[in-house]
Amino acid sequence: MSITPRVFLVDDQPAVLKALARLLVSAGFEVAPFESAPAFLDSGYAETPGCLVLDLSMPGMNGLELQQALAARDSLLPVIFLSGHGDIESGVQAMKFGAADFLTKPVDGDKLLRTVLAAFESNRKSRLERAELDDIRQRLAGLTPREREVLALVVDGKLNKQAAASLGTTEKTIKVHRARVMSKMRVSSLAELVRLADRGGIRAAAFDKP
Amino acid sequence: MLDLRTLALAAMMSGLVFFVATLALWRLVPLERSLRDWTVGALLMAVGNLLLGLRGIIPDFASIVVANAAVVLSLGFMYVGTRKLVGMAPGRPWHWLAAGAALVSCVVFTYVVPSVPMRVVLMSALYFPLGLACGWLFWHQDEAPTKAIDRLTALIFFGGAFLVVTRAIAATSLPLSTAYVSTPSWFVAAPYFYSTLLNVWMAIMLTLKVSARLQRQLAEVHSNRLRTTEAELRESEQRLTLAADAARLGIWIRDLGQDEIWASGQWRALFGFTPSQRLTLAQVLQRVHPADRRMVSQTFGQPRCEAGASEAAFRIELPDGELRWIVSLERVEFDAAGQPILIRGVSRDITVSKQAELEIEQKRMEVMHLARAAMLGELSGALAHELNQPLTAILSNAQAAQRFLAHDEVDFDELHAILQDIVDEDKRAGEVIRRLRQLFAKGETLSERVDVNALVLEVFHLLRKDLTNQAVTFQMDLAPELPAAKADRVQLEQVLINLVTNACDAMQSLATPLRLIVVRTAVGADQSILVSVIDQGSGVPAGDLEQVFQSFYTTKERGMGLGLSICRNIVSANGGRLWGENNPDRGASFHFSVPLHAAEAT
């Protein structure tokens, strides 16, 4: 069903690019090499599964700038930085922007492969999470405004009676709404509903002051 | 036979000859003061004889009184002349007194108490002391070359004195005939004979004496001049020696005929020889430091056949092991046939100045070394990166190969390619290290052909990472077909790195798109190559454009302030110039020139 994750390599030094690609290929990874940051951005791979192995300093757009550009595009690709000199300042900045790791050249093959594998794993997880969240959001989008209000009050821990009172309706009506919400959200217990609503970002407070 | 008048005339004529001779001598040799008196004496003698000879024709007063007085006066003048001639003072004017006495006595014994014998006796009394004195003076004259002449002259004077004494004695007994004019007795004739002899001899004598005296003076002048020249020579030699000693100059002369060297005391002290030691070329060469010996023996050992001086600086080693620096200047001298006959030279101890010079050179090299070390520190980041690239590629390639080998099916083509890449990258790393070592090497300034455009490219490659990190655009504006420069390539590279690094630093506060460095190469004026590094920074405050080249002047937080001062030193050592100026719009430019390589210069 899903595409094989790939390692996207970006380095302005052709010899280094080639060698790293070989190493990753030898370990059985699929590799896509790029000689510059813009070349990668233009390739449209930012949304695909895998990870990015990125040289920190490059002419034109450097590694940090590419990382920020990807963040702006909401890309989930973990970024592994390679740096020639152990430039602490750049390293700190890269980690602040959410880099997966920061390795210094020359990099040991096993270490790089482990890091890549870890990055793949984290990418897989975040992609799953992203998919789950999308699902929840879709289900939430299927609710009517009245059902959402009921949902908010229910996850807030209000009893049907209290909810009816605060919405100015009968307890029976609330019960009907609540059953419909449970079925639309495809949950069977209240605890499950609370968890989904929480992940979907629904909070009672959002309705306190309409 | 001879009558009185003929005798008187002969005496007068000889007196005239005497007069003319002395007059001519006096005019010719006015410096001989006695000749004036002799001339007057000769004239008076001639006049006296004339008047005497005219006795009976002219009045007695003239022929007796005046004539006798004139003759006495004449002898008196001769006496004065003699005194002067022998180098005495003129003495008192006895001759005038004698002449006066003669005048008075003649008047008395002619007119008042006429008596011929008395006249003769009195006249004799006046002649006698004068003749005796003259003879005496001549006799005792001690002038070697004319001794015979002086003696003869003295004898003639003595003879005269004897004659007048004889006449005085005879005058009392001899009767005087009135016919004495036509047939004169010896008594009457002798004075005229004597006078003629005296006149002729005196003329001859004076000529001889004056000639001899002139000859002697000439010889004296000559020998005086010789003596003076000799003294002057000695004097100037002493002065020269003094000056040479004061200047610590050792003087030496090498006679090419014999293998022997004469040397002044100063020179011997300089080279550690004793003052009396005999010196040969081999001995001197033995003193010269072995490393310089060949050069010295070539320069000074073989006399060249062209004129002109040659100079050489070399080291000598004294017997006690002391080392001295000597500068020696020599000049070959040739004989008339153009063959070298001797070599003259001076040597001077330049140990102190040479040591100072060496120390300065040492210091300069140390500073340059320091500068290189400092630059290496600054460049270490870039160099580490340069080394890291090939190392990364090598490690990754090698580990990839290991993994490929572990696969079931081994792709040998791939392995081959990997190994080739490893070799290439390793070479690249080696090249980086070679460059690094060169930059770090401590060496003297070389003069080699430098392709300045290639140099700019190399500097760009070296600094590429730094430039990239600082987001500086590096633009190269290189002149096509630029001729080679004559300089030390590594040093020029250092200067260029320094200037580019400075330009980067100057633009740190600038927005990244504006950070631009232009490096321009061009053929400059007067056979040079001009390299300019142009930045867009804030420029240099106008008053500081020269100050930036001074040591320890810096505007950087962590700068030592040595960069530009060392750069200027380096460029000067390479025969060029380094200067800075502000650009008309913004930023500053630093330019340096280096001479063209000789083969390229036109």
Side-chain angles (χ1 to χ4, degrees):
Chain A
M1 147 231 136
S2 68
I3 325 153
T4 334
R6 261 182 293 193
V7 183
F8 303 105
L9 264 177
V10 184
D11 197 310
D12 61 317
Q13 303 279 312
V16 176
L17 191 63
K18 192 167 154 194
L20 287 173
R22 266 196 194 120
L23 178 66
L24 292 164
V25 167
S26 73
F29 290 108
E30 264 192 50
V31 179
F34 300 91
E35 283 200 18
S36 75
F40 172 71
L41 275 181
D42 294 345
S43 70
Y45 282 122
E47 308 303 325
T48 55
C51 76
L52 192 61
V53 176
L54 188 55
D55 188 26
L56 186 68
S57 56
M58 285 181 291
M61 189 183 222
N62 69 23
L64 286 175
E65 284 164 346
L66 175 57
Q67 185 190 22
Q68 284 168 54
L70 288 175
R73 292 186 186 195
D74 238 352
S75 165
L76 290 178
L77 278 179
V79 180
I80 301 167
F81 276 109
L82 292 182
S83 159
H85 24 225
D87 180 353
I88 295 174
E89 210 176 306
S90 312
V92 168
Q93 208 166 1
M95 295 314 277
K96 239 195 255 176
F97 284 123
D101 217 327
F102 194 89
L103 303 177
T104 51
K105 288 179 181 177
V107 63
D108 177 63
D110 287 336
K111 192 172 181 188
L112 178 64
L113 296 175
R114 274 202 307 276
T115 314
V116 166
L117 275 179
F120 273 0
E121 182 53 29
S122 90
N123 181 238
R124 193 183 61 78
K125 277 189 190 151
S126 51
R127 286 184 73 83
L128 274 179
E129 265 174 44
R130 166 79 58 90
E132 197 187 18
L133 201 60
D134 284 350
D135 188 35
I136 293 166
R137 283 200 180 131
Q138 224 167 357
R139 286 181 221 173
L140 282 172
L143 301 180
T144 63
R146 196 62 175 183
E147 285 164 357
R148 274 193 202 208
E149 285 172 351
V150 172
L151 174 65
L153 290 168
V154 167
V155 299
D156 206 22
K158 296 275 193 301
L159 298 173
N160 286 350
K161 200 191 279 175
Q162 288 169 311
S166 74
L167 289 177
T169 183
T170 62
E171 194 177 342
K172 194 175 174 185
T173 318
I174 294 296
K175 267 188 186 167
V176 173
H177 279 310
R178 187 167 161 173
R180 212 173 291 150
V181 168
M182 296 283 272
S183 106
K184 276 190 181 169
M185 294 302 285
R186 290 184 230 141
V187 292
S188 49
S189 72
L190 179 66
E192 232 177 318
L193 183 70
V194 170
R195 193 181 62 82
L196 278 193
D198 185 42
R199 293 205 57 192
I202 300 295
R203 289 212 195 330
F207 302 99
D208 276 351
K209 291 162 193 157
Chain B
M1 35 167 238
L2 286 170
D3 68 357
L4 186 67
R5 297 208 196 286
T6 312
L7 284 174
L9 199 67
M12 185 209 68
M13 289 303 287
S14 66
L16 273 177
V17 168
F18 182 22
F19 167 67
V20 171
T22 48
L23 185 67
L25 264 180
W26 180 31
R27 300 318 303 168
L28 282 171
V29 196
L31 279 176
E32 180 56 61
R33 310 299 302 217
S34 67
L35 285 174
R36 192 187 62 178
D37 300 289
W38 282 105
T39 307
V40 175
L43 181 64
L44 287 169
M45 184 62 84
V47 170
N49 281 327
L50 178 66
L51 294 176
L52 282 171
L54 293 177
R55 172 82 59 87
I57 298 169
I58 54 169
D60 278 357
F61 183 75
S63 71
I64 295 172
V65 179
V66 176
N68 274 309
V71 173
V72 170
L73 192 60
S74 160
L75 270 173
F77 268 103
M78 285 188 206
Y79 171 65
V80 174
T82 303
R83 282 181 72 99
K84 285 186 181 174
L85 189 67
V86 300
M88 293 168 72
R92 300 200 173 199
W94 292 116
H95 49 303
W96 289 109
L97 196 67
L103 200 71
V104 170
S105 60
C106 278
V107 167
V108 169
F109 293 112
T110 305
Y111 299 109
V112 184
V113 195
S115 163
V116 172
M118 278 312 288
R119 246 182 18 227
V120 171
V121 170
L122 262 167
M123 285 305 118
S124 296
L126 287 171
Y127 292 148
F128 180 74
L130 283 172
L132 207 60
C134 285
W136 180 263
L137 287 175
F138 271 103
W139 187 263
H140 289 99
Q141 168 70 348
D142 196 18
E143 219 168 4
T146 52
K147 189 134 189 128
I149 295 164
D150 289 334
R151 287 288 160 89
L152 193 54
T153 311
L155 286 177
I156 287 174
F157 274 113
F158 289 148
F162 175 72
L163 178 65
V164 292
V165 171
T166 315
R167 277 189 87 228
I169 295 165
T172 50
S173 54
L174 276 178
L176 282 173
S177 154
T178 46
Y180 72 93
V181 173
S182 54
T183 51
S185 63
W186 70 269
F187 182 85
V188 174
Y192 293 104
F193 274 119
Y194 177 75
S195 179
T196 306
L197 172 71
L198 186 77
N199 287 341
V200 171
W201 176 249
M202 286 302 145
I204 293 168
M205 181 275 293
L206 280 174
T207 311
L208 291 175
K209 283 284 282 186
V210 168
S211 298
R213 193 161 283 184
L214 279 177
Q215 169 61 33
R216 203 188 61 214
Q217 280 171 351
L218 199 65
E220 249 171 45
V221 165
H222 196 67
S223 77
N224 271 352
R225 187 172 299 155
L226 269 182
R227 254 202 309 280
T228 316
T229 316
E230 239 169 64
E232 274 171 2
L233 264 179
R234 234 192 333 274
E235 168 81 16
S236 86
E237 194 184 307
Q238 275 169 355
R239 259 182 297 183
L240 188 68
T241 313
L242 187 70
D245 285 354
R248 303 197 157 274
L249 282 173
I251 302 172
W252 54 272
I253 298 168
R254 181 169 158 233
D255 188 339
L256 292 170
Q258 302 106 304
D259 179 29
E260 184 156 6
I261 294 172
W262 174 91
S264 69
Q266 182 79 28
W267 191 92
R268 286 168 181 273
L270 202 57
F271 278 68
F273 290 112
T274 60
S276 56
Q277 202 171 344
R278 194 174 168 276
L279 293 175
T280 62
L281 183 66
Q283 273 177 308
V284 174
L285 282 178
Q286 204 55 40
R287 284 275 194 274
V288 176
H289 192 277
D292 296 338
R293 203 170 287 155
R294 235 185 95 191
M295 182 267 291
V296 173
S297 74
Q298 271 173 1
T299 316
F300 297 122
Q302 273 85 45
R304 295 147 305 109
C305 282
E306 69 268 25
S310 62
E311 196 183 83
F314 52 88
R315 285 158 290 176
I316 57 168
E317 221 169 6
L318 300 192
D320 62 3
E322 192 191 331
L323 204 71
R324 277 180 189 164
W325 272 97
I326 302 288
V327 65
S328 228
L329 183 80
E330 60 135 55
R331 196 200 306 272
V332 185
E333 283 175 24
F334 302 91
D335 62 9
Q339 287 301 308
I341 46 169
L342 59 81
I343 305 176
R344 235 181 257 278
V346 288
S347 304
R348 193 160 56 89
D349 186 350
I350 53 162
T351 310
V352 174
S353 66
K354 197 77 188 177
Q355 266 168 358
E357 199 179 292
L358 288 176
E359 258 168 47
I360 286 171
E361 178 63 16
Q362 179 77 19
K363 281 266 167 355
R364 198 180 70 81
M365 291 208 347
E366 274 169 19
V367 168
M368 299 258 274
H369 183 65
L370 196 72
R372 267 194 290 275
M375 196 182 306
L376 192 77
E378 278 176 31
L379 286 177
S380 64
L383 285 166
H385 188 272
E386 284 284 294
L387 267 184
N388 246 329
Q389 299 304 326
L391 285 181
T392 305
I394 289 167
L395 183 62
S396 299
N397 273 320
Q399 287 183 329
Q402 282 177 331
R403 283 175 187 278
F404 280 130
L405 279 172
H407 289 181
D408 297 337
E409 276 179 33
V410 178
D411 181 347
F412 284 102
D413 287 347
E414 181 69 11
L415 276 180
H416 194 78
I418 288 174
L419 287 174
Q420 186 57 51
D421 283 359
I422 288 177
V423 170
D424 290 347
E425 288 307 298
D426 203 280
K427 281 183 181 161
R428 210 177 115 189
E431 178 62 23
V432 171
I433 288 171
R434 188 189 62 77
R435 225 157 41 195
L436 174 131
R437 194 174 283 149
Q438 228 174 35
L439 267 180
F440 199 54
K442 187 172 171 176
E444 291 159 19
T445 303
L446 303 173
S447 283
E448 47 192 343
R449 288 176 65 98
V450 181
D451 179 348
V452 176
N453 281 349
L455 192 83
V456 174
L457 271 170
E458 194 164 330
V459 167
F460 168 63
H461 283 303
L462 209 58
L463 296 179
R464 190 177 45 194
K465 218 63 199 182
D466 281 353
L467 294 165
T468 304
N469 286 343
Q470 298 188 41
V472 173
T473 309
F474 191 85
Q475 187 181 315
M476 285 176 278
D477 184 2
L478 306 179
E481 288 168 29
L482 192 69
K486 177 167 158 266
D488 186 315
R489 203 181 59 78
V490 176
Q491 290 185 355
L492 279 201
E493 197 170 344
Q494 287 170 1
V495 171
L496 198 53
I497 287 172
N498 218 302
L499 294 182
V500 172
T501 314
N502 279 353
C504 279
D505 293 346
M507 296 191 294
Q508 259 175 356
S509 56
L510 221 57
T512 41
L514 296 175
R515 296 180 187 172
L516 169 71
I517 293 176
V518 180
V519 175
R520 185 172 295 153
T521 60
V523 178
D526 39 290
Q527 307 282 337
S528 67
I529 286 179
L530 192 68
V531 181
S532 309
V533 178
I534 304 152
D535 68 41
Q536 298 292 313
S538 46
V540 181
D544 289 357
L545 270 169
E546 267 309 302
Q547 246 182 304
V548 294
F549 292 105
Q550 283 169 13
S551 299
F552 306 112
Y553 174 93
T554 185
T555 55
K556 297 182 199 171
E557 229 168 87
R558 284 185 300 170
M560 290 242 291
L562 284 174
L564 280 176
S565 87
I566 289 167
C567 283
R568 184 170 262 190
N569 274 343
I570 291 177
V571 173
S572 308
N574 280 285
R577 217 159 65 79
L578 170 65
W579 72 101
E581 63 183 6
N582 282 317
N583 300 334
D585 45 355
R586 61 172 302 129
S589 299
F590 282 84
H591 314 273
F592 67 87
S593 65
V594 278
L596 283 187
H597 196 270
E600 312 277 348
T602 48

